Amino acid sequence: MSGNGMGPEALKRLRNLAEFWNPRMKAATDDADLARICFDRAKAAAKRAQKNGQPNAMHELAGQLASWAAEMERRDATRQDRNAA
């Protein structure tokens, strides 16, 4: 096991995932494309987690996305109120 607490198989899996996702993220043509790629990555990770015994993984992802969206909506509403005054 390495100093980070992960065995060689786990490190290999992480390296493989990075080799798969990092070029796609770097090749994104704009922020919307990057967001789509990151969403696909998160969804794939949640599906993998479900398959590996974490049945709530997709629900957790949905909760995090909903929280982020609610925060953005709150900021936008606050900004609009400030601009209307």
Side-chain angles (χ1 to χ4, degrees), residues 48-64:
R48 210 169 28 259
Q50 284 180 318
K51 180 181 159 196
N52 292 324
Q54 296 177 39
N56 288 339
M58 197 64 74
H59 188 83
E60 290 175 22
L61 173 59
Q64 288 188 18

Side-chain angles (χ1 to χ4, degrees), residues 13-28 33-48:
R13 281 192 298 274
L14 287 177
R15 250 189 327 272
N16 288 342
L17 287 167
E19 288 173 7
F20 181 83
W21 289 109
N22 289 345
R24 285 161 177 75
M25 292 169 61
K26 287 178 185 168
D33 192 32
L34 179 60
R36 181 192 56 77
I37 294 163
C38 289
F39 176 75
D40 289 346
R41 182 179 186 176
K43 192 166 71 170
K47 285 181 180 181
R48 210 169 28 259

Side-chain angles (χ1 to χ4, degrees), residues 27 35 45 52 65 82:
N52 292 324
L65 289 169
R82 207 176 316 146

